[in-house]
Amino acid sequence: MTAAPQTREVHVRLSFPGGMVLDYRAELTIAERLAAHLRPHRIEVTIETSAPGRLPPLPCAELWTD
């Protein structure tokens, strides 16, 4: 029997022009896809390996899945 692949949650920080900063937790692959899409729009995306459980989940994360 093979084990199911484990998801790894990370801390995602979105820094918008003008100073607004939002913090979420998301699965690593989703965070990377989100970052790739938002960076050309001058939204700075920081991904940290630790995801404190108190962070809210990334809204509409399902948009960044396969």
Side-chain angles (χ1 to χ4, degrees), residues 5-42:
Q6 296 209 356
T7 60
R8 180 172 152 211
E9 282 197 332
V10 294
H11 173 189
V12 180
R13 172 167 281 175
L14 307 175
S15 301
F16 293 85
M20 182 169 56
V21 176
L22 300 173
D23 291 292
Y24 298 106
R25 61 184 161 84
E27 198 273 323
L28 177 59
T29 304
I30 290 172
E32 290 171 340
R33 289 177 183 162
L34 174 70
H37 181 79
L38 294 181
R39 283 185 179 126
H41 300 284
R42 298 181 352 157

